[in-house]
Amino acid sequence: MDGKTNPPRTFRQKWAAPLLWIALPALSVGYQVAAKHVALALTGVPVGVDWVLKALRLPWGQAMVGLELMNFAVWMVVLAEIKLSSAFSISALSYVMVILASWTVFHEPVGMLEIFGSAAIVGGVLLIGGESKSETPSK
Amino acid sequence: MSSHVLTAEALRLIAFCIFAEVSRELLFKVAADSAQDSDNYALAVALKPAVWLGIVLWAVEVVAWVVLLQKVPLSIAFPLVNLNYAGVPIASALFLKERLRPKQMLGAALVAVGVFCIGLAGI
């Protein structure tokens, strides 16, 4: 993230980090918001094949499938460039974003455990990310 | 629901979910690495058996997760399956020979603690 590393050589190398840090958390928030709408719409329907078919008929259910596919595509691009151990831990940022979204969009209460957990994730991710300059495989 | 919900069957399901998730991520990483130098990355990934094995594990894991949630409250199951945030970095070190700096290991451990806490809060 500064001038110490070699400049990114390919499109994928250039975009792997922004995809991991910004696109994946954003897609996860979108997915959870869609899931919340699906859950609210299907309250009382027993979980099973019928539940899945009903969910897939809802626009929010289709959004869930689309967002999950996009998430997978983005994840595979990230994995081509970044170590799994770093990328997977950094992907936990999505938990922090989902908590922020549930607090701001759905006005759900946020407890001390969520605040402590979010702080630990942000701190941990910064420790990993701040040191991840040379993790592109040097093949 | 009673408080003594963690039956042997529930524990097996939780262990399976963690195993499936960690294995899936390892498979995806192996596929991504082996397709890395291809001209058409998306096509190369789609032709890797490891990706498809991972996707099958994904589907099985979803079913296992739903079955698990029928036996165990989310507030118990969620923090436990979140142990994959410890499992994936450990498995990456063991099987993919990835090396994190000490500072990054501390970071990964902090993330695992944070995710576990959020699971405890019953998001």
Side-chain angles (χ1 to χ4, degrees), chain B residues 97-114:
Chain B
K97 308 293 176 214
E98 288 186 358
R99 291 289 169 263
L100 293 181
R101 299 189 182 96
K103 192 175 151 189
Q104 290 183 306
M105 285 184 205
L106 178 65
L110 260 180
V111 167
V113 169

Side-chain angles (χ1 to χ4, degrees), chain A residues 1-2 4-5 21 86 90 122-135, chain B residues 101 103-104 107:
Chain A
M1 273 154 238
D2 61 20
K4 283 178 205 163
T5 48
W21 288 81
S86 300
I90 291 170
V122 170
V125 162
L126 289 176
L127 281 177
I128 296 166
E131 281 280 317
S132 62
K133 294 182 187 82
S134 61
E135 66 195 5
Chain B
R101 299 189 182 96
K103 192 175 151 189
Q104 290 183 306

